[in-house]
Amino acid sequence: MIPKYIEHIGIAVKNLEEAISYYENILGLKCYAVEEVEDQKVKTAFFKVGQTKIELLESTDPEGPVGKFIEKRGEGIHHIAFSVSNLPEKLNEVELKGVQLIDKIPKKGAEGLDIAFLHPKSTFGVLTEFCEHKD
Ligand code: CMX
């Protein structure tokens, strides 16, 4: 089962408002949603670019994944998210092929999607997310 499309690209930023201003006023995109995801310790802002979205991520906790990422590596691309169908099966499939899973069981992410991450040490340095729209 191959990923259907790139659902979003996650970008870690220090200040959400300043980053939103860049995407709106310089690139001309429209922020259509701002949402806090407590479980992930982030505040997010979304922009549509065709079928793919840009997800800006501001940390709400220095010990959260994005807080630690910015501390260690600075602002920049944090993860890439693929849209998949049957997420539990897809996770099982890649784990059997030797990929290290961060989430063996899907969690609820922004926009109500079911999400799960693969460890960047198993994915050539790119934190990879699988997500599934539950209609
Ligand atoms: N992309 C690539 N590499 C990353 C990374 C990222 N986003 N985050 C951490 N790493 C690297 C670190 O640089 C480190 O590499 P080295 O050992 O070479 O230094 C290695 O992974 C381990 O990092 P760490 O700092 O020791 O471990 P952390 O405690 O920071 O955990 C990770 C890293 C990926 C397991 C953790 O961030 C995680 O579980 N992420 C998934 C959840 C998440 O990122 N949520 C935020 C987004 C939520 C959303 O989109 O809604």
Side-chain angles (χ1 to χ4, degrees):
M1 187 202 315
I2 59 168
K4 293 192 282 191
Y5 57 93
I6 294 174
E7 213 282 336
H8 65 265
I9 296 168
I11 298 175
V13 300
K14 289 182 183 164
N15 183 303
L16 203 60
E17 293 311 316
E18 286 177 12
I20 289 172
S21 172
Y22 163 75
Y23 280 88
E24 290 198 327
N25 299 325
I26 309 290
L27 294 191
L29 299 172
K30 177 89 191 109
C31 175
Y32 70 90
V34 172
E35 180 185 346
E36 185 164 341
V37 186
E38 278 183 35
D39 187 42
Q40 299 288 339
K41 300 183 167 62
V42 288
K43 198 166 156 195
T44 65
F46 283 95
F47 303 81
K48 286 191 179 117
V49 190
Q51 195 175 13
T52 301
K53 298 164 192 159
I54 299 288
E55 178 189 33
L56 301 181
L57 300 155
E58 181 191 275
S59 177
T60 55
D61 179 344
E63 290 307 311
V66 172
K68 286 171 77 176
F69 176 87
I70 286 185
E71 175 65 28
K72 203 166 183 178
R73 302 163 72 125
E75 294 177 300
I77 294 182
H78 179 261
H79 66 268
I80 182 164
F82 295 101
S83 176
V84 301
S85 35
N86 201 342
L87 177 55
E89 187 183 295
K90 184 77 186 157
L91 289 174
N92 195 31
E93 187 185 312
V94 299
E95 189 175 34
L96 285 173
K97 290 178 177 167
V99 173
Q100 185 188 337
L101 304 182
I102 293 173
D103 304 300
K104 286 180 187 263
I105 297 169
K107 296 177 171 176
K108 277 286 167 213
E111 303 196 303
L113 300 187
D114 287 349
I115 64 168
F117 286 90
L118 315 184
H119 201 285
K121 293 286 175 201
S122 288
T123 56
F124 298 87
V126 178
L127 176 61
T128 301
E129 177 182 345
F130 286 159
C131 54
E132 182 170 28
H133 288 260
K134 289 280 184 186
D135 299 322

